Amino acid sequence: MPHSVSLINTIAAGLGLALVFGFLAVRLRLPALVGYLLAGVIIGPFTPGFVADAGIAAQLAEIGVMLLMFGVGLHFSLDDLLAVRKIALPGALAQIAVATLLGGALAIWWGWSWGEALVFGLALSVASTVVLLRALESLGILDSFTGRIAVGWLVVEDLAMVLVLVLMPPLAGALDGHATGAADAADPLWQTLGLTLLQVGGFVALMLVVGRRAFPWILWQVTRTGSRELFTLCVIAAAVSIAFASAALFGVSFALGAFFAGMVMRESEFSHRAAQESLPLRDAFAVLFFVSVGMLFDPSVLIERPLQVLAVVAVIVLGKSLAACALVLAFRYPLGTALTVSASLAQIGEFSFILAGLGVSLGVLPAEGQSLILAGALISIATNPLWFSLITPLQKWLHARMPLARGVESRDHPLAELPTTTEARYLSRQVVLVGYGRVGRRIAAELEANDIPYVVAEQNRELVEKLREAGIAAVWGDAAEPAVLIQAHIARARVLVVATPDALNVRQMMETARTLNPAIETVIRSHNEDEARLLTQQTTATVFLGEHELAQAMARDVVRRAAAAA
């Protein structure tokens, strides 16, 4: 046919190879993201054979960035972040600073300018939210307190990188690159920064004041038509058009515009449906984004600069992880939590790619820096499942070999034990309730309504403080550790209720409880049917499966209504 098919070729080759290599990566127990990046390398200009249109791939990648950031905003929960703010906020900012210093020091050692070193260090400091969420989901700890800390940490990193993306163009001149934006390059730095922040502030104010009212109303009007395709079109159009308008009218990045579009959309009662309806298209363009990133990678860097690649991987896997581990322990959280957060941060991803691409386009990052970042991302993402698998054996090894590790677990924090003024009714024949989340709160309310004493064991220190202030008996710590259940007086309790979704440690909690109190009754919450069946077969615990209980409750209501109408 006479017309150009570059777009079709690029999409077909990108998605086709991404499917093949993504499938192979998953079969090898690697994140599918590794396969997507390798697909981009195969069709990139640095490998022989078919070469996709780089210009079209870059535009597809921009759409991918918009939809990725829209998804981040759509799932951004301020409440979840506030729940772990005392550790996630200072911890993430300190870890970003440490990783940036480590990466920047490497770049300075290689002879780069300080501006290039700063951008390079920042790109190594932020982990991939996509990789983290999938890793936590596969382990079944996404909804646990440790999982919430890791996710909150990444949210703070993402917000920091959004700010970096906003400020980098006007600061490019000061970083020895070429400044862009509304301000003239000869303007003073303070004036350029002031104008940029004013534009961003105006956009944010408009979105929060007008957008929070307008978009939910628009979604409602579209929903009333009953057309599913119109609803999906409305969601996608809002994401892309707001991102474009924010760049055209306010001079802010596509990423920031799409992120706030998602945040505003979350205010609507249809946010869950919007996330579901837009997910296939977001996933498809996210794949094209990672493929386009892979196209920028020059594999020769692995041969020509192996020591530099190893140094970059060391900063990502060791430097960031050790800094995060030390920070979590400094906040006096358990060793298991520190190791999980460390493994979560031992990789880099989408924001690193966006930052590197912007840095190269602004002249504040050399092309070799982008290749080194991509090499570090490929290796760190590929090895990330290994670090998660080593958490439990490493924790046991440290406990067995290092007295300091045992000392960390047996710290004398006042919240880690019940006050001496605790009433006797909470120390004998009480219920020990592990977890005070959405399920735990409802169980606690029912216990209070029936005047049954209970003690809460919870990993969220701030929540334990609030419970103590409200006069509720609570101890802080991981109930998988015997010391926590001992402080909850499990030896004299009558029932252990595990209301947390932490599937990894439930058996350890039960073993500790049975050892200290062989006659104790145990009630467990589960989300996994296979896991619930195994627990029922292997233990004497009563296991409640969420979907099963919901179906039974709905069935009873349906039968009641049908019988009444007969």
Side-chain angles (χ1 to χ4, degrees):
M1 297 180 69
H3 56 273
S4 173
V5 291
S6 294
L7 175 62
I8 298 174
N9 286 342
T10 302
I11 293 177
L15 293 180
L17 285 175
L19 173 62
V20 172
F21 283 97
F23 175 79
L24 292 175
V26 172
R27 295 289 291 179
L28 294 172
R29 299 183 180 275
L30 298 174
L33 184 57
V34 175
Y36 306 154
L37 292 170
L38 288 177
V41 175
I42 297 298
I43 62 174
F46 303 104
T47 53
F50 172 77
V51 176
D53 189 314
I56 290 177
Q59 293 190 45
L60 293 173
E62 288 285 7
I63 300 176
V65 170
M66 294 180 197
L67 296 181
L68 267 174
M69 293 305 301
F70 176 71
V72 172
L74 199 57
H75 291 94
F76 175 74
S77 173
L78 185 59
D79 292 338
D80 289 345
L81 178 59
L82 291 176
V84 294
R85 67 189 183 281
K86 291 187 178 180
I87 181 173
L89 184 59
L93 294 178
Q95 178 259 308
I96 288 174
V98 171
T100 301
L101 287 173
L102 291 174
L106 269 182
I108 294 292
W109 186 36
W110 295 334
W112 297 7
S113 70
W114 72 271
E116 294 170 335
L118 177 62
V119 175
F120 184 73
L122 285 169
L124 300 185
S125 69
V126 57
S128 167
T129 307
V130 174
V131 174
L132 170 69
L133 292 177
R134 291 175 182 174
L136 295 180
E137 283 176 350
S138 66
L139 292 173
I141 60 173
L142 180 59
D143 292 326
S144 68
F145 182 67
T146 298
R148 290 198 295 272
I149 288 178
V151 173
W153 197 296
L154 263 292
V155 168
V156 175
E157 285 192 351
D158 289 351
L159 292 175
M161 289 305 110
V162 168
L163 182 62
V164 170
L165 292 175
V166 169
L167 295 179
M168 188 182 292
L171 287 174
L175 298 175
D176 300 326
H178 43 272
T180 62
D184 189 87
D187 290 338
L189 181 60
W190 66 268
Q191 183 176 331
T192 303
L193 278 177
L195 180 59
T196 300
L197 293 175
L198 186 63
Q199 290 174 317
V200 173
F203 169 71
V204 172
L206 181 65
M207 292 297 293
L208 293 180
V209 175
V210 179
R212 291 177 66 176
R213 297 176 180 272
F215 295 125
W217 181 83
I218 293 172
L219 271 181
W220 168 243
Q221 298 303 317
V222 173
T223 302
R224 291 176 62 186
T225 66
S227 173
R228 179 176 178 178
E229 60 268 23
L230 275 180
F231 183 88
T232 305
L233 179 61
C234 178
V235 172
I236 299 300
V240 177
S241 59
I242 291 174
F244 177 78
S246 65
L249 300 178
F250 293 92
V252 302
S253 66
F254 289 144
L256 181 65
F259 175 75
F260 269 94
M263 281 188 63
V264 168
M265 195 75 73
R266 184 181 171 83
E267 297 293 323
S268 168
E269 60 183 300
F270 303 104
S271 60
H272 183 67
R273 182 183 171 189
Q276 285 187 320
E277 298 287 353
S278 63
L279 183 61
L281 194 61
R282 285 192 285 122
D283 282 348
F285 275 98
V287 169
L288 289 174
F289 165 70
F290 291 119
V291 169
S292 69
V293 168
M295 290 176 62
L296 301 174
F297 177 57
D298 185 356
S300 64
V301 72
L302 299 173
I303 300 173
E304 297 174 357
R305 303 174 183 271
L307 295 180
Q308 290 184 338
V309 171
L310 288 176
V312 169
V313 173
V315 169
I316 298 169
V317 174
L318 294 178
K320 286 174 58 181
S321 298
L322 291 176
C325 185
L327 287 165
V328 175
L329 292 177
F331 281 93
R332 305 179 76 177
Y333 280 87
L335 180 61
T337 299
L339 293 176
T340 301
V341 172
S342 298
S344 302
L345 300 175
Q347 40 83 13
I348 58 174
E350 55 273 6
F351 263 110
S352 303
F353 305 148
I354 297 170
L355 195 60
L358 181 61
V360 171
S361 67
L362 294 174
V364 293
L365 183 71
E368 65 179 290
Q370 187 174 39
S371 291
L372 288 171
I373 290 169
L374 293 174
L378 275 168
I379 296 172
S380 64
I381 292 172
T383 57
N384 197 238
L386 173 63
W387 312 132
F388 274 103
S389 68
L390 291 176
I391 291 175
T392 300
L394 180 59
Q395 187 176 0
K396 291 180 178 178
W397 185 87
L398 289 173
H399 280 166
R401 304 292 180 88
M402 296 180 64
L404 179 61
R406 294 193 297 271
V408 169
E409 298 292 356
S410 59
R411 59 205 178 282
D412 56 353
H413 194 283
L415 294 178
E417 58 185 24
L418 288 176
T420 56
T421 56
T422 303
E423 295 180 32
R425 66 193 298 259
Y426 297 105
L427 308 179
S428 178
R429 305 297 295 164
Q430 83 283 16
V431 173
V432 175
L433 176 59
V434 178
Y436 200 78
R438 289 173 296 182
V439 175
R441 284 196 297 270
R442 287 168 171 79
I443 296 173
E446 195 66 26
L447 292 173
E448 286 183 5
N450 290 275
D451 196 29
I452 298 174
Y454 63 94
V455 176
V456 175
E458 170 62 53
Q459 294 189 67
N460 188 332
R461 186 190 303 164
E462 291 75 25
L463 183 54
V464 172
E465 291 175 350
K466 291 180 180 178
L467 291 174
R468 292 272 184 96
E469 291 172 359
I472 298 174
V475 293
W476 167 59
D478 185 354
E481 299 300 325
V484 176
L485 289 180
I486 290 172
Q487 288 299 328
H489 289 254
I490 194 71
R492 302 180 67 183
R494 58 174 140 175
V495 183
L496 169 67
V497 182
V498 182
T500 176
D502 191 348
L504 288 180
N505 296 322
V506 65
R507 284 182 174 82
Q508 191 171 345
M509 296 177 197
M510 292 177 59
E511 289 175 5
T512 301
R514 292 287 183 193
T515 301
L516 298 173
N517 186 348
I520 195 169
E521 301 277 350
T522 51
V523 179
I524 298 172
R525 165 194 179 189
S526 177
H527 282 300
N528 185 291
E529 192 168 348
D530 293 333
E531 173 196 311
R533 184 169 54 252
L534 285 174
L535 287 172
T536 303
Q537 293 172 352
Q538 298 174 4
T539 68
T540 58
T542 302
V543 182
F544 287 89
L545 182 64
E547 291 80 1
H548 177 69
E549 299 304 321
L550 175 62
Q552 282 194 329
M554 292 180 68
R556 285 195 297 267
D557 187 70
V558 170
V559 169
R560 180 183 61 81
R561 292 174 184 274

